[in-house]
Amino acid sequence: MVNKIWGFFIVVGVLFSFFTGKMDLINKEILDSCKTAFELVIEIFPVIALWLGIMKIARVSGLLKKFSKILEPLLHFIFPEIPKGHESLGYISSNMIANLFGLGNAATPFGLKAMNALQELNEKKEEASRSMITFLVLNTTGLTIVPTTIISMRMLYGSSNPTAVIFPCFLATLISTLAGLILDRILYYRSLSH
Amino acid sequence: MSIYDVFLEGAKESFDFVLRMFPCMLAMVLGVNIFLKSGFLNFVFEFMDPLLKILQVPLEVLPLAFIRPISGSSSLAILSSILKKYGPDSFVGRMASIMQGSTDTTFYILTLYYGSVGIKKIKYSLIAGLGADLIGIIASLLLTNFFFS
């Protein structure tokens, strides 16, 4: 799937630029992309290091276990394949809590640890497991209570009521999250019958 | 065990993650940028203009709806230009704000997380992610109409 889409992006992009005479622009874009990717990784690197350090303290001190206890009934329903008390549940809870409160920076390292823990449970190491897919669907729908970036952007452009969109925004992410979870279940059962 | 050592031990793990992430990020940024900068999408949007007039969806939010799952930074740039042009308290400005918040950047998240653990076959992840995005976008159109018109 990713193969096809990536190929599609490149082929269509290059051909379209060629026929509209923008090849020089694409050349520049290729070099710029390398720089952008590098900057993205470099930007996120220290944040990941910081939060992984804090996370380790939370794990050793037992705080992580407490976190996962809070959400355990819900998580057990969403992730039926993860055994009770597995450490991935703690990371998943931390990731969900960070996302809910708009701490995107902290959510990423927690999510990476969660994926690592889920990979330990995974039998086919190159294939996404059911729990991984569910976990990433939850992340791609970005359930959040306060969309901090959007509010700050609305303030920047002089909105008289920057927070007016919070509630509808929350409803929209709630709907896309529920839809994602339902879709994930349906696709999982369909993949079994194939 | 000292708390300082525990912190260092955790922070050290970041090297592995970052090394495994870079090639995937590079591939994704390259593909997405070539596609977006080629102008192919604008070409498609022009054809869809009459259809949108019937559906009463402002043309300006269409690129946002398409690009939202593909690139976070590009969709923020589009949101910012909409807010600047129409004002954050206009109907279009509110619709764009809610749309931006309705979902997250599916491509980026899948690339980043699967790349970090070396997963190659992602099965139905993308269909589930994009399906949820589509429903989120439709929900944000309906919710804006419900709350602000």
Side-chain angles (χ1 to χ4, degrees):
Chain A
M1 189 85 183
V2 171
N3 252 328
K4 281 181 202 151
I5 289 184
W6 196 71
F8 173 82
F9 278 179
I10 302 255
V11 170
V12 169
V14 169
L15 283 181
F16 194 77
S17 313
F18 181 74
F19 286 115
T20 52
K22 282 186 294 196
M23 253 343 248
D24 49 331
L25 203 125
I26 288 300
N27 271 330
K28 191 178 158 290
E29 203 49 54
I30 291 173
L31 291 173
D32 281 353
S33 296
C34 301
K35 231 178 96 194
T36 311
F38 187 68
E39 281 165 3
L40 273 174
V41 171
I42 291 301
E43 245 170 58
I44 207 174
F45 188 4
V47 184
I48 291 181
L50 171 74
W51 282 104
L52 286 183
I54 294 174
M55 204 62 193
K56 192 96 183 185
I57 296 175
R59 196 183 130 193
V60 171
S61 67
L63 193 67
L64 194 64
K65 273 247 152 60
K66 290 215 176 87
F67 257 160
S68 58
K69 279 270 158 19
I70 307 170
L71 290 177
E72 196 161 280
L74 178 70
L75 288 183
H76 186 67
F77 174 72
I78 301 177
F79 300 98
E81 281 186 355
I82 302 179
K84 276 208 168 114
H86 189 258
E87 64 169 348
S88 62
L89 291 171
Y91 295 127
I92 292 173
S93 322
S94 318
N95 169 270
M96 284 169 77
I97 293 169
N99 267 328
L100 269 178
F101 292 102
L103 302 168
N105 271 341
T108 307
F110 299 162
L112 292 172
K113 285 298 278 185
M115 285 299 280
N116 233 17
L118 289 176
Q119 180 71 319
E120 280 164 23
L121 292 174
N122 192 5
E123 281 166 14
K124 296 177 189 153
K125 296 291 178 205
E126 295 205 333
E127 229 176 79
S129 69
R130 179 188 177 188
S131 310
M132 284 178 176
I133 298 176
T134 310
F135 175 62
L136 290 192
V137 166
L138 270 180
N139 267 282
T140 62
T141 58
L143 185 61
T144 182
I145 298 173
V146 185
T148 41
T149 322
I150 294 166
I151 293 170
S152 58
M153 207 158 216
R154 291 170 60 76
M155 285 164 87
L156 182 73
Y157 288 106
S159 170
S160 60
N161 191 357
T163 52
V165 296
I166 290 184
F167 187 60
C169 240
F170 172 69
L171 281 184
T173 74
L174 187 65
I175 291 171
S176 71
T177 303
L178 292 177
L181 287 177
I182 294 169
L183 207 57
D184 172 57
R185 280 279 156 119
I186 295 171
L187 288 167
Y188 169 69
Y189 286 116
R190 220 189 58 166
S191 77
L192 283 187
S193 61
H194 275 299
Chain B
M1 189 149 43
S2 90
I3 193 168
Y4 175 74
D5 290 333
V6 174
F7 179 84
L8 288 189
E9 213 177 284
K12 251 181 233 160
E13 293 172 16
S14 60
F15 284 94
D16 288 338
F17 281 119
V18 170
L19 281 180
R20 269 176 288 168
M21 262 158 53
F22 179 68
C24 312
M25 298 278 263
L26 179 64
M28 191 208 41
V29 171
L30 189 69
V32 165
N33 277 0
I34 289 180
F35 184 65
L36 292 182
K37 293 284 161 68
S38 73
F40 178 73
L41 276 183
N42 296 0
F43 177 73
V44 175
F45 293 151
E46 274 170 33
F47 281 102
M48 289 174 77
D49 195 26
L51 178 75
L52 291 169
K53 287 224 169 78
I54 299 168
L55 294 172
Q56 295 199 322
V57 175
L59 176 70
E60 292 74 19
V61 300
L62 188 67
L64 183 63
F66 266 85
I67 291 165
R68 185 70 195 91
I70 304 175
S71 162
S73 55
S74 304
S75 65
L76 264 183
I78 296 171
L79 174 66
S80 125
S81 76
I82 291 175
L83 293 182
K84 197 173 173 183
K85 194 170 167 196
Y86 298 91
D89 299 319
S90 64
F91 184 73
V92 181
R94 283 180 167 153
M95 182 178 272
S97 306
I98 294 169
M99 203 176 263
Q100 174 76 21
S102 70
T103 178
D104 212 324
T105 320
T106 300
F107 276 87
Y108 172 78
I109 287 169
L110 293 184
T111 320
L112 178 77
Y113 286 112
Y114 280 136
S116 78
V117 289
I119 295 285
K120 294 207 174 81
K121 278 190 76 179
I122 68 164
K123 298 194 330 211
Y124 52 89
S125 311
L126 197 60
I127 304 171
L130 290 180
D133 290 339
L134 180 66
I135 291 169
I137 298 281
I138 294 169
S140 54
L141 294 179
L142 298 175
L143 286 165
T144 318
N145 275 305
F146 179 76
F147 278 96
F148 298 113
S149 65

